[in-house]
């Protein structure tokens, strides 16, 4: 049995018998006017963060969500696009698709505005998306990509890139781990399916995205997620896993490399009203501005004593230098 077959079986069982603790998160449930999320959807929220950000969802974007879970994030996406088929939900597990269909009926009963037809549920594989090229404004996946081994992860990211429109966004949440994991953990198919042993370091995760062609990367959040300890897992040391929320934008790749935002900011505090590096970055006096890591290095290399550059906060809310 391949690791993907093991993953299929794990989530088939999670669809038939909801497992509240499978991927519990610290994210609060969205509180939006007129939005009520059925309890069963909350119990089947098999993610490690949130991919729903209001600023991504203006002007009725066409959306794709891969790995439907119990349908909770699909319902949240539909809140912003109340059109027939405006949100495509894709899963390879028949039982999960059927569970989502049932959950949408419950959502219809609790939300006057919602119709199941707003979500186009399709069976399909993340490695071969049944979606046209350049047709999606916002694509999302929550706690799925970390399951894939390297070659399959490259395929999944390339597929997302293919279906996105120019300047479209791929919004993701995945576990990450900066510590090395032994081969026993890495090769444990069930632990990989449970979103634990496939966790990559953030730098590797981001490089997979930029290698696929995404010119802008935003790291929006970084949170505690899980512990692998020697008493319960095949490891000699305690391993700390975090979850991150990331947006990869299908912008053209800049000639000097991608813009990667890790939550750094610059503050100019010199004698003039502003500082202009003549490369497109204007820093107003005493006004913090979000900067990508590339710009942070360029400003630091100037060696000025009137520009402060913060460390990475791994929190980014938009705006800034690029």
């Amino acid at each position: 049995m391949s690791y993907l077959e093991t993953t299929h079986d794990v989530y088939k069982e999670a669809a038939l018998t909801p497992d509240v603790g499978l991927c519990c998160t610290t994210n609060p449930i969205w509180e939006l006017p007129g939005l009520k999320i059925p309890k069963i959807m909350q119990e089947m929220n098999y993610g490690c963060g949130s991919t729903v950000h209001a600023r991504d969802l203006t002007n009725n974007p066409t959306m794709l969500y891969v790995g439907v879970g119990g349908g909770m994030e699909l319902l949240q996406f539909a809140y912003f696009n109340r059109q027939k088929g405006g949100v495509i939900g894709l899963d390879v597990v028949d039982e999960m698709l059927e569970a989502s269909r049932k959950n949408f009926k419950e959502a219809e009963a609790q939300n006057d505005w919602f119709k199941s037809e707003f979500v186009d549920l399709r069976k399909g594989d993340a490695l071969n998306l049944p979606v046209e090229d350049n047709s999606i404004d916002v694509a999302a996946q929550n706690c799925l990509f970390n399951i894939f081994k390297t070659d399959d992860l490259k395929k999944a990211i390339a597929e997302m890139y293919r279906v996105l429109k120019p300047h479209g966004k791929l919004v993701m949440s995945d576990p990450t781990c900066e510590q090395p994991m032994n081969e026993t953990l890495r090769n444990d198919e069930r632990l990989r399916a449970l979103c634990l042993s496939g966790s990559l370091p953030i730098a590797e995760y981001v490089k997979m995205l930029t290698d696929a062609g995404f010119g802008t990367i935003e790291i929006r959040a970084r949170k505690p997620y899980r512990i692998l300890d020697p008493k319960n897992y095949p490891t000699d040391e305690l391993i700390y896993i975090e979850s991150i929320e990331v947006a990869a934008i299908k912008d053209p790749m800049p000639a000097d490399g991608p813009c990667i935002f890790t939550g750094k900011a610059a503050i100019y505090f010199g004698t003039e009203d502003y500082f202009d590096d003549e490369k497109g970055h204007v820093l107003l006096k005493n006004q913090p501005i979000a900067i990508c890591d590339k710009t942070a290095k360029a400003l630091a290399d100037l060696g000025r004593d009137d520009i402060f550059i913060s460390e990475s906060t791994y929190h980014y809310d938009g705006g800034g230098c690029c």
Side-chain angles (χ1 to χ4, degrees):
M1 180 181 291
S2 74
Y3 83 97
L4 293 176
E5 291 173 318
T6 299
T7 300
H8 181 282
D9 291 346
V10 166
Y11 288 94
K12 174 182 176 180
E13 182 60 31
L16 297 172
T17 307
D19 185 349
V20 177
L22 184 63
C23 290
C24 62
T25 75
T26 57
N27 283 67
I29 300 300
W30 271 67
E31 298 288 346
L32 292 168
L35 174 62
K36 295 180 181 179
I37 299 177
K39 182 179 179 181
I40 185 62
M41 283 188 172
Q42 298 178 40
E43 292 175 347
M44 297 179 68
N45 178 27
Y46 302 139
C48 61
S50 178
T51 64
V52 184
H53 300 270
R55 65 185 176 87
D56 299 331
L57 304 175
T58 58
N59 301 318
N60 293 321
T62 299
M63 290 172 272
L64 168 68
Y65 190 85
V66 181
V68 299
M72 189 178 85
E73 291 200 316
L74 285 166
L75 175 63
Q76 293 172 354
F77 280 128
Y79 181 90
F80 294 92
N81 185 336
R82 305 181 185 190
Q83 301 178 39
K84 183 177 180 180
V87 182
I88 299 170
L90 187 73
D91 208 296
V92 73
V93 180
D94 290 323
E95 291 79 5
M96 198 64 80
L97 290 167
E98 183 57 30
S100 290
R101 289 189 182 94
K102 291 179 180 178
N103 293 348
F104 287 145
K105 294 299 182 183
E106 181 65 26
E108 282 186 338
Q110 295 186 28
N111 295 272
D112 292 340
W113 60 269
F114 178 68
K115 298 179 181 179
S116 293
E117 66 181 22
F118 292 167
V119 181
D120 177 7
L121 287 174
R122 302 179 186 178
K123 183 172 182 178
D125 191 337
L127 307 182
N128 186 22
L129 298 174
V131 180
E132 294 180 2
D133 295 0
N134 305 307
S135 62
I136 300 296
D137 294 298
V138 178
Q141 64 84 20
N142 195 334
C143 216
L144 171 65
F145 279 7
N146 74 100
I147 294 173
F148 292 130
K149 294 184 178 180
T150 300
D151 288 345
D152 288 337
L153 178 55
K154 289 179 180 178
K155 291 178 184 177
I157 294 173
E159 277 293 274
M160 288 290 210
Y161 187 90
R162 175 183 66 80
V163 303
L164 281 169
K165 296 177 183 178
H167 307 294
K169 293 181 180 179
L170 169 57
V171 187
M172 299 162 288
S173 181
D174 273 306
T176 61
C177 183
E178 300 304 313
Q179 296 168 257
M181 289 193 191
N182 62 51
E183 288 303 305
T184 301
L185 283 171
R186 289 293 188 197
N187 293 324
D188 188 312
E189 293 181 355
R190 183 167 179 82
L191 290 181
R192 184 173 283 273
L194 293 173
C195 302
L196 294 172
S197 63
S199 306
L200 295 175
I202 292 175
E204 289 186 29
Y205 187 94
V206 169
K207 188 175 187 301
M208 296 283 275
L209 296 168
T210 57
D211 283 352
F214 289 100
T216 301
I217 308 294
E218 303 175 352
I219 298 181
R220 296 176 168 180
R222 181 176 178 178
K223 306 174 184 179
Y225 181 64
R226 290 288 192 277
I227 293 292
L228 303 183
D229 67 280
K231 293 181 180 179
N232 296 291
Y233 298 93
T235 174
D236 294 330
E237 62 175 346
L238 186 146
I239 296 176
Y240 172 52
I241 299 176
E242 297 175 299
S243 69
I244 58 170
E245 295 175 11
V246 178
I249 304 172
K250 192 175 177 179
D251 289 337
M253 183 65 67
D256 57 352
C259 291
I260 300 170
F261 289 86
T262 62
K264 292 186 176 183
I267 302 176
Y268 167 67
F269 54 95
T271 58
E272 305 297 327
D273 291 336
Y274 63 90
F275 169 76
D276 185 348
D277 71 351
E278 299 183 352
K279 295 181 179 179
H281 310 115
V282 178
L283 281 60
L284 300 179
K285 186 174 181 178
N286 292 325
Q287 297 296 313
I289 182 173
I291 53 175
C292 71
D293 290 8
K294 183 173 57 178
T295 299
K297 182 180 184 305
L299 291 173
D301 288 346
L302 296 176
R304 296 181 65 101
D305 62 2
D306 55 4
I307 297 177
F308 172 81
I309 300 171
S310 76
E311 297 295 326
S312 296
T313 63
Y314 294 96
H315 176 79
Y316 177 73
D317 263 337
C321 71
C322 301

